[in-house]
Amino acid sequence: MDFTTSIAGVRFPSCFMNAAGARCVTREELETLGRSQAGAIVTKSMTLEPRQGNPEPRYYAFTNGSINSMGLPNLGYRAYAALIPELRRFGKPIVASVAGFGEEDFVTIATAINASKPDLIEVNLSCPNIPGEPQIGYDADVTERLLKRVRKVVTTPMGVKLPPYFDPAHQDKMAQILDRVGVEFLSVINSVGNGLVVDLEKESVVIKPKGGFGGLGGPLIKPMALANVRAFWKLFGGRVPIIGTGGIASGGDAFEHLLCGASAVQVGTAFVEEGTGVFERLESELAVVLGKKGYDSASACVGKLKEL
Ligand code: RRO
């Protein structure tokens, strides 16, 4: 089965990769991804300075998903800028996830990371877990201003990691902004922000930061992820490639994302829970699904969702 895909002219040996944040902070984790079956190495979202992140416990997995409030633990952009050329030896695309506190940070980081020549730059507009910092992607004016500045300093294909939207008006507005700015791909969606999971035995929250509120991931967010992939795929008429993220725990889940319009998929919760073996498992499961349905490649079913 052919799992190759292409995003913004970059060829990926497999359509499966890690989601930014999942086991991709340290050099060791990034090299482990390099040696794995994953079709790319996606870095943790980086900030100006190294960060320890929020106090633990800050990640909790439960039956239908996960909740996290990691708080951007990362090595700082200088370390990733130095690592990216070294990660080239694994012969697969490198996706650098850029974050920051305020517009200036994004511009500084994007400039330096662009110079280290990753294959794609994913601008994270949707971290839900910094106390007092709203998600940029929920503020149209801030998003447009920030992206216009970042766009000027980035020559690498650039995309955005969007939060989930729950109203078509918000998706329309964001699509118009992204059209004006000019982005080469979309990563859809980040975790569903500020959920709350309760341990009924302990009568307690399950993570420490922000009184227990955190970003939800895993199977429970799949319908929201599929809806956003589909909505943006339609809004851009399939012309802007989409990386689908959210609830991919089986080959069938990946197939659903492809049908909705994703050209590749990122795996977060399932990768954190299973480690790199998840990429082989998902590929073999997707091969069975595609084979049964008569598709000879993953790319053949992209956007083919039927409507009634
Ligand atoms: O580090 C985090 O807490 C985090 C980030 Br930056 C993000 O974009 N999404 C998420 O669920 N957690």
Side-chain angles (χ1 to χ4, degrees), residues 44-45 54 68-73 99 124 126-129 190-191 215:
K44 172 69 184 169
S45 295
N54 289 339
N68 88 83
S69 184
M70 306 305 288
L72 272 163
N124 187 355
S126 45
C127 175
N129 297 329
N190 207 319
S191 57

Side-chain angles (χ1 to χ4, degrees), residues 18 23-36 38-44 46 75 79-97 113 116-119:
N18 67 298
R23 295 177 184 257
C24 58
V25 175
T26 63
R27 167 195 287 270
E28 195 191 355
E29 286 173 331
L30 293 165
E31 290 181 344
T32 300
L33 279 164
R35 286 188 291 271
S36 78
I41 304 173
V42 184
T43 73
K44 172 69 184 169
M46 58 193 82
L75 306 178
Y80 295 108
L83 259 172
I84 286 167
E86 290 187 46
L87 295 172
R88 288 249 150 265
R89 70 183 189 281
F90 294 105
K92 59 175 86 167
I94 298 161
V95 183
S97 173
I113 284 298
S116 76
K117 297 198 174 358
D119 295 276

Side-chain angles (χ1 to χ4, degrees), residues 270-285:
F271 173 42
V272 171
E273 294 304 308
E274 282 179 54
T276 49
V278 78
F279 299 112
E280 277 142 89
R281 179 176 69 76
L282 292 174
E283 271 197 0
S284 57
E285 289 178 9

